[in-house]
Amino acid sequence: MSVERSASAENHTEKTETGATNFLRNQIRDEIQAGQVESIVTRFPPEPNGFLHIGHAKSIWVNFGLAEQFGGRCHLRFDDTNPAKEEQAYIDAIQEDIHWLGYEWSGNVRFASDYFDQLYAWAQQLVRDGKAYVDDLSPEEIREYRGTLTEPGRPSPYRERGVEENLALLEGMREGEFDEGTKVLRAKIDMTAPNINLRDPILYRIRHAHHHQTGDKWKIYPSYDFTHGQSDAIEGITHSLCTLEFEDHRPLYEWFLANLPVPAKPKQTEFARMNVNYTVTSKRKLKLLVDEQVVDGWDDPRMPTISGLRRRGYTPASLRKFCDMTGVSRAANVVDIAMLHFAIRSDLEDNAPRAMCVLNPLKVILTNVKADHDEVFEVPGHPARDDMGTRRLPLTREIWIDRDDFMEEPPKKFFRLAPGKEVRLRNGYVIRCDEVVKGDDGEVDSLHCSVDFDTLGKNPEGRKVKGVIHWVSAEYSVPVEVRLYDNLFLEEAPDRDKDADFLQHLNPASLVTVQGIGEPALAAVEPESRFQFERVGYFCADRHACRDGKLVFNRTVGLKDSWAKIQQKQG
Ligand code: ATP
Ligand code: MG
């Protein structure tokens, strides 16, 4: 059925803002035009067992985005049926992430646990209808009796228990009379069904666990399958949009809706998970990185979590754009991380003010600049954005440049500084390197250069100066800690081999910290402000570490656009 649906939608496909396709959008538009649905209601249903990652950003964008586009509503519902793995801290972080992405859920925050009473009443109803039974088989036996893809299952010896006995046992399970693992409630559907999900799926398990929402009220917890569709129905969800691994569960989803007196019949449609290369998107694996202290918490700027991306310097707009660019389809897709980089780079190119920061400082003494030289260049905050005003760059006798911008024995095409060569100081004068001063170890200690004061904003007469380098005044500058982040994994698909330890692919150089020197304007930055450090890359003031006068910048992304190159090659 889903194949038919997506195929028909493909016939009149329209593109998203960035030119990608989104079959859900086309499908819903068709349904609205055909009068099949008036107003859509979607939901984002995270399990609060970790922080949200980039894949969840996609799901949020899909669910909230479609609701927004078609004037519908989107609920936030925590899918909280597994108290052992869930925490209030995750519930709080998830809400913060959704808000930060720029979305607002309709009504209160909802919890599947809000419906535990109703779900229990429906379970009793199934028992009374002869459609559910209490099974005493152990979990291993249940697995064994279930059969395989090629062999049918066998009925449990407890399958034919009477209604009254089942009701009493279920009540006993709820009252906490039985130990964990000794009994389950199962739907009585078909042990020989080709779809294993229909072979008498488990509805309730005994778990004597404290729940973050319901406290100690429950000794049994409903399974995901018994919870999800009915919660959708209770909330009047019209479109239950989920990832493809739930496709095989759809017949069960529909079986519950057909066999219970639910107030609405939501429709489940699956789309492909979004994965990004050089990263892992599984809360379980991300939790391992946190627990093993491979990273500095869930929001470490190397994490593909929404909070990690935020700390790295990503903007909400860039993540939404990335989701749009990658589109929605039913074909499994691994997105190139270069595309994510492209999304933030193009945002920051337009919107981040410029600043100069030297990461690997080399002292330059401008021999013809007096010690009391008093000159300030007033330069644009952004080359194309007058609204960003100007910033002040004082020129002093001593300045810092980047060591990489000097070579004692330069190759032919080196247009930066070298003995006897000229280069322009960005936003300032042309200087010439007259003398290289070395320390006792033979290393270059500083350079003596002279300024050509007749070159501000124009080329020196008769000479062509090709190179431009960034610099900061030694007297008026601020020390900054710069954290150079790179991919966390060296391998494109770190978890491709299911049996191998994905941690073996960690990039040992995913974080390199350097002490840099920034232009004076950086002294006043607020946490989370973003800059292009000219000629270096895009950086964001760390939202936690920038305090008490300390300046810490995270590299968000470099200046070079590899995505455009990849596209050219493909195009
Ligand atoms: P994980 O494996 O990381 O724990 P999950 O699917 O178990 O992911 P949930 O909290 O259950 O995590 O997910 C909430 C919603 O987000 C679900 O509807 C799920 O389908 C969707 N989702 C999760 N990962 C992705 C992804 N990579 N791409 C698109 N949607 C996703
Ligand atoms: Mg899940």
Side-chain angles (χ1 to χ4, degrees), residues 44-47 53 55-56 58-59 243 271 273-274 281-283:
F44 174 63
E47 183 180 355
H53 53 62
H56 295 111
K58 182 71 175 244
S59 179
T243 36
F271 61 96
R273 273 179 111 77
M274 183 186 74
T281 42
S282 142
K283 275 181 284 188

Side-chain angles (χ1 to χ4, degrees), residues 23-24 59 62 241-244 269-273 328-330:
F23 83 91
L24 291 172
S59 179
V62 164
L241 309 172
C242 62
T243 36
L244 274 174
T269 308
E270 308 85 19
F271 61 96
R273 273 179 111 77
V328 186
S329 76
R330 285 177 53 85

Side-chain angles (χ1 to χ4, degrees), residues 4-67:
E4 253 170 50
R5 279 207 300 261
S6 55
S8 75
E10 237 112 83
N11 292 339
H12 29 297
T13 288
E14 63 183 68
K15 304 274 191 207
T16 69
E17 283 70 21
T18 57
T21 56
N22 178 347
F23 83 91
L24 291 172
R25 176 164 147 172
N26 293 328
Q27 182 185 306
I28 292 172
R29 182 207 52 208
D30 291 352
E31 289 169 4
I32 290 174
Q33 278 174 5
Q36 290 162 4
V37 49
E38 212 164 292
S39 174
I40 69 164
V41 188
T42 58
R43 84 288 169 268
F44 174 63
E47 183 180 355
N49 60 352
F51 279 51
L52 299 181
H53 53 62
I54 183 80
H56 295 111
K58 182 71 175 244
S59 179
I60 291 169
W61 173 84
V62 164
N63 283 291
F64 285 91
L66 288 169

Side-chain angles (χ1 to χ4, degrees), residues 197-250:
N197 291 298
L198 294 176
R199 295 183 191 169
D200 292 11
I202 292 173
L203 309 185
Y204 273 94
R205 288 186 180 83
I206 299 171
R207 276 208 187 118
H208 297 182
H210 183 84
H211 189 285
H212 48 95
Q213 301 302 312
T214 58
D216 296 313
K217 177 174 174 184
W218 294 92
K219 309 290 180 224
I220 56 174
Y221 288 93
S223 62
Y224 170 85
D225 282 320
F226 190 60
T227 308
H228 197 77
Q230 288 88 296
S231 300
D232 284 345
I234 291 168
E235 293 182 7
I237 301 298
T238 57
H239 292 75
S240 185
L241 309 172
C242 62
T243 36
L244 274 174
E245 70 269 23
F246 294 104
E247 184 170 27
D248 290 345
H249 296 241
R250 191 181 344 122

Side-chain angles (χ1 to χ4, degrees), residues 228-342:
H228 197 77
Q230 288 88 296
S231 300
D232 284 345
I234 291 168
E235 293 182 7
I237 301 298
T238 57
H239 292 75
S240 185
L241 309 172
C242 62
T243 36
L244 274 174
E245 70 269 23
F246 294 104
E247 184 170 27
D248 290 345
H249 296 241
R250 191 181 344 122
L252 182 54
Y253 182 101
E254 288 168 354
W255 188 89
F256 289 127
L257 297 185
N259 286 277
L260 289 169
V262 290
K265 305 264 174 176
K267 193 170 75 174
Q268 174 177 312
T269 308
E270 308 85 19
F271 61 96
R273 273 179 111 77
M274 183 186 74
N275 295 306
V276 181
N277 66 5
Y278 296 101
T279 192
V280 293
T281 42
S282 142
K283 275 181 284 188
R284 190 178 57 76
K285 289 183 184 137
L286 296 176
K287 184 166 190 304
L288 193 73
L289 293 171
V290 174
D291 292 345
E292 298 284 314
Q293 296 180 7
V294 171
V295 294
D296 177 25
W298 284 98
D299 71 344
D300 183 296
R302 288 165 292 180
M303 289 282 269
T305 50
I306 295 176
S307 51
L309 292 163
R310 170 180 181 178
R311 221 177 129 192
R312 177 82 168 254
Y314 279 79
T315 58
S318 68
L319 294 183
R320 291 198 308 261
K321 175 172 176 173
F322 174 65
C323 290
D324 196 287
M325 286 170 72
T326 51
V328 186
S329 76
R330 285 177 53 85
N333 58 352
V334 180
V335 176
D336 198 310
I337 198 164
M339 201 157 156
L340 181 62
H341 296 161
F342 170 83

